[in-house]
Amino acid sequence: MNRFLIPLGAFVLLAIVLAVGLKHSPEKGIIASPLIGKPAPVFTTTLLNDTSAKFDSAEFKGHWTLFNVWGTWCFACRDEHQALLDIAKRKEVRMVGLDWKDEDPTATQWLQDQGGNPFDVIATDHDGRIAVDWGVYGAPETFLVNPQGVIVHKYVGALTMEAWEREFLPRINAKS
Amino acid sequence: MLPELGHFALILAMLLAALQGFFGIAGPALGRDRWTAAVTPAVAGQFVMLATSVACLIASFVDNDFSVLYIAENSNSALPLFYRVTAMWGAHEGSLLLWVFLLGCWTVAVAIGVSRLPRRFAARVLGVLGVVSFGFLLFMLATSNPFLRLDPPAPDGRDLNPILQDPALAIHPPILYTGYVGFAVAFAFACAAMLEGRMDQMWARWTRPWTTAAWAFLSVGIALGSWWAYYELGWGGYWFWDPVENASFMPWLVGTALIHSLAVTDKRGLFKSWTLLLSILAFSLSLLGTFLVRSGVLVSVHSFAADPTKGIFILVFLCVMIGGALTLYAWRAPLLKSQAGFDLGARESFLLFNNILLVIAAATVLGGTLAPLISDSLNLGTLSVGTPYFNPTFMLSMLPLTALLSVGIHANWKRGRLSDSTRTILITLIIAVTTAVILVYGVYSNGKVLSPVAATLGVWIIISSLIDPIDRMRRKLSLPRSVVGMAVAHVGLGMFVLSVTTVESFTLERDVALGVGQQTTVGNYEFRFQGVKAIEGDNYNGVEGTVVVTRHGVPISVVYPQKRQYWVQRQVTTEASIEMHHGSNVFVALGDDLGAGKWSVRFQIRPLVNFLWLGAFIMALGGGISATDKRYRIAKEATAPVAAPGGVTAG
Amino acid sequence: MTRYFVTSILVCLLAASPVSYAVDTTQMPTPELQKRYLGLTHELRCMQCQNEAIADSPVSLAADLRRQVAEMLNAGKSDDDVRNYMVARYGNFILFRPPVSTKTIWVWATPGILLLIGAAVAVRITRQRAALVDQDNEPVEEDIRSS
């Protein structure tokens, strides 16, 4: 082979890599989670507006759960709020929220202002430890936990009904 | 009116670029002399149109014409005049216009410079430049038009990004782009040589001054960016191996290899195909840099707005230009053989090692920058690469290079005769080691293992580079600019290496929370915090702290670090205070208001850091001196080139 | 979806543009721990604002991660423990220094391999040319030491 073709060959390879990179680039900011397929992190914490009661991660077992991490300071969380309310109405999963880095009264007020509470129960994470355990790096993030307590999917960004139907429902239906 | 005029001028420029490209390449290829002659008017016309377009855009900025979308996004009526002008290249669309305009400037300069070269060769060079220009103009008009209107016009603009409201960062893009774009000239010369089927090395001599000049501009551009980052970003860092920084560094590394390789090809007709390849590679990396920064493939602290559509366009353009050039290379290069020889200890050997190491360094940086992309594409999982990777791997090739420099600089062409210089080499080494040891252990302390080694290499380069010029002056021999330039450039490099060593080895840093009247000690300096006061500027307000600096109790200075918040974009910037003292930088930056009068403050003592940028500027100066050597001024070339058998028409 | 994603990134960029940085005044109980703390916080990437280390990033996530590092170090954990903890939750992306594993070894091996290839090329060419030098009678320009 003409060794002078090597540069051209190397360039073709590079171009392919770049083209693939371009194709993937809308998802560029989304880092794949290493927690997929692993059991949900163990934690216990207080509930929003009911500091006497607790949420324990053992409660994930026995049913499908949508675990949504949100905060009042997060703009995109406002965008997804309506979608969460709609998904809640369909009663396909148990809705558990994690209020990340908020004061309880602010959070309660915010939920009201946004149109209601879509969650069956809201756990609080005042100091951010639980979020770190879940590998959360930017709200909102939504996890799908199966009845065995294993994380099967993660969605970064404001959730939409379309995304719910495209990415979450098939997984729920396949397993049952 | 002005925006429409500017837009129209841009369209005309694109058409003229197309004509320039067509006539420049088809004319000589088909032997049509009238077409060949049409290239120069096309060059002139394109330049006039580009200048008009730029003038219209700048004028619109100065006039605060917020009916233009680009101006509404990047300017504001409160923006000082100077920045209203420099805002023209503050974002993607405008910076592209700047790119193309600078290409136009280079093309005009080249057109004048090659007027004494064989007509058809000259036409080909300009033709290739025309093709490049056409590609960029097409890209601009299709996806990134700075003259798009906003209807209804905005009442006021969103302001120029505050971090760009700074003199150094204002001139960094024009100078940097002048460098990037300048490598297109070397590229064009190489393509012209390949199109023509030249087998001799005359094109190497003709290219040298252009390439060296481009390299010098790029050096200054990169140094400015680094210096700006140091004093503006508040971290006291000067290089972050950020993908966009790497995008400018890779062409620089290959460009350095190229100017050295051109020397060998020019002098001895060796490495011809390699030099051709490097010429293609340097500009390819410039184009690749453009792609990386504007396509959204890599996220970086300073990439432009990401947009995959733009990415696809640039990628196609890249494939056409680079793929085309490399195909030409595969076709022509096999014919460029030389029978010249050289000893192991000859100058050619050392320049060969220089080239190999620089290209390896560039490949390493490229690999590291693309590693996350590659890992992701091959489904090897996510990966990230930063300073802890780049520093050691870069040094792996650079340390040997700096060592070889101080030996190889004494080598003669072809026969080396290094044995004649053994004494000189040993003496310079001993002086270097002594100086370095005194510096590392005497003046400073707490160095790392590598510190004396790297410091020795830096000093050794400085001393070794001065031997030949001093020797010539002593012996009353001629001192041409190329010799002076070479010495100056290498001295600059030595300063740079020395400075990086001292900064990386001996920097002292401390982040402290201080209340009013409280003091902290860093190294030999004490800093007493005297509180903050509110300040207001043209388009910002903020706080200014007062810190009293003493050294062993002796008052040195009072410094006033600031934090500013710009009204329109509400962005907060840090204006660190930097003072020079005994060759070191004393760096103080305000952190956060911790309440109750306490502030977090960052202190750094950075020894000899200014030599970093000074060294880079001196390197560039050396390049500039070298490029103006009179042997590059060509008398009318009478010789016809040696053409490849069965190849394209000669002449 | 892209729109929402872009919004979140914009939030991140606005909240922590490159000009904003954190001054981390954490003091560990011993100089040894302080050194390790600084080393680790400079080695871990802030996941929200790419290309900043958690040591320099002003976002609250970075502060949480710094706290985590401090707590683990104070509890006697090793540097590798801290890294593994972070990687288990965020993947390799959180490290500025790519780990040495079967999937990442190519990143580290490449420079060394390139050097070996370079050395081989250098040997080959210098040998080739040294063999030609005696037959080569072409004069070299007088100014032998010029560039």
Side-chain angles (χ1 to χ4, degrees), chain A residues 44-56 59 121-122:
Chain A
T44 308
T45 183
T46 51
L47 301 184
L48 188 66
N49 291 329
D50 190 358
T51 45
S52 60
K54 292 241 189 269
F55 178 86
D56 190 290
E59 291 178 42
V121 62
I122 304 175

Side-chain angles (χ1 to χ4, degrees), chain B residues 461-529:
Chain B
I461 294 175
I462 297 176
I463 302 176
S464 309
S465 310
L466 295 170
I467 299 289
D468 188 39
I470 293 178
D471 183 55
R472 281 169 181 258
M473 290 198 292
R474 254 186 347 110
R475 295 196 294 163
K476 306 252 195 302
L477 289 176
S478 68
L479 206 55
R481 286 194 188 178
S482 53
V483 172
V484 173
M486 177 171 114
V488 169
H490 287 143
V491 165
L493 176 67
M495 285 173 66
F496 179 83
V497 170
L498 185 60
S499 173
V500 169
T501 310
T502 53
V503 169
E504 293 301 310
S505 311
F506 308 123
T507 291
L508 296 170
E509 304 182 76
R510 178 159 311 160
D511 295 344
V512 190
L514 289 176
V516 179
Q518 284 188 318
Q519 177 173 295
T520 188
T521 308
V522 183
N524 296 326
Y525 298 85
E526 303 90 33
F527 300 91
R528 184 188 308 277
F529 180 59

Side-chain angles (χ1 to χ4, degrees), chain B residues 273-488:
Chain B
S273 54
W274 173 246
T275 305
L276 275 178
L277 185 61
L278 280 182
S279 306
I280 300 174
L281 202 57
F283 185 57
S284 305
L285 286 168
S286 289
L287 285 181
L288 181 67
T290 307
F291 171 77
L292 290 176
V293 167
R294 296 166 195 272
S295 65
V297 155
L298 296 171
V299 181
S300 142
V301 288
H302 57 307
S303 50
F304 291 99
D307 182 356
T309 335
K310 301 188 166 103
I312 296 173
F313 196 110
I314 304 179
L315 187 59
V316 170
F317 182 51
L318 249 153
C319 289
V320 166
M321 296 290 339
I322 305 178
L326 288 176
T327 311
L328 263 178
Y329 171 78
W331 176 37
R332 292 300 201 193
L335 304 161
L336 296 170
K337 292 266 184 232
S338 145
Q339 291 305 310
F342 56 84
D343 278 342
L344 176 60
R347 181 158 286 216
E348 294 91 323
S349 281
F350 285 95
L351 292 176
L352 173 68
F353 304 147
N354 156 303
N355 264 233
I356 291 175
L357 289 168
L358 280 167
V359 168
I360 289 178
T364 306
V365 174
L366 181 64
T369 308
L370 293 180
L373 200 59
I374 296 174
S375 186
D376 193 44
S377 305
L378 295 177
N379 275 325
L380 292 173
T382 61
L383 181 65
S384 110
V385 177
T387 309
Y389 172 81
F390 284 111
N391 276 359
T393 52
F394 184 69
M395 283 210 294
L396 197 59
S397 45
M398 288 296 102
L399 283 179
L401 180 67
T402 47
L404 288 169
L405 201 170
S406 304
V407 175
I409 203 164
H410 304 290
N412 287 296
W413 292 101
K414 191 165 169 186
R415 288 286 181 181
R417 288 205 281 267
L418 270 180
S419 44
D420 291 353
S421 312
T422 318
R423 226 175 59 117
T424 315
I425 295 175
L426 277 175
I427 294 178
T428 50
L429 180 58
I430 291 171
I431 299 177
V433 171
T434 317
T435 317
V437 166
I438 294 175
L439 201 63
V440 170
Y441 297 111
V443 177
Y444 305 107
S445 58
N446 285 340
K448 307 174 192 169
V449 168
L450 215 47
S451 307
V453 175
T456 303
L457 291 173
V459 177
W460 200 18
I461 294 175
I462 297 176
I463 302 176
S464 309
S465 310
L466 295 170
I467 299 289
D468 188 39
I470 293 178
D471 183 55
R472 281 169 181 258
M473 290 198 292
R474 254 186 347 110
R475 295 196 294 163
K476 306 252 195 302
L477 289 176
S478 68
L479 206 55
R481 286 194 188 178
S482 53
V483 172
V484 173
M486 177 171 114
V488 169

Side-chain angles (χ1 to χ4, degrees), chain A residues 26 29-32 34-35 75-76 79 100-101 127-129 131-133 135-139 155-158 160, chain C residues 1-5 7-9 11 47-48 50 60-61 64-65 67-68 71 85-91 93 124:
Chain A
I30 298 173
I31 316 298
L35 294 174
F75 296 150
D79 290 334
W100 187 25
K101 296 272 192 89
D127 58 13
R129 285 174 202 281
V132 168
D133 251 358
V136 171
Y137 62 88
Y155 186 86
V156 176
T160 61
Chain C
M1 195 252 127
T2 316
R3 186 166 82 88
Y4 299 126
F5 164 65
T7 316
S8 336
I9 287 292
V11 168
M47 298 295 295
Q48 264 184 15
Q50 292 157 1
S60 69
L61 175 66
D64 291 345
L65 291 175
R67 182 193 60 212
Q68 186 67 33
E71 284 178 3
Y85 178 93
M86 295 296 173
V87 170
R89 285 153 182 77
Y90 291 97
F93 196 75
R124 181 157 158 248

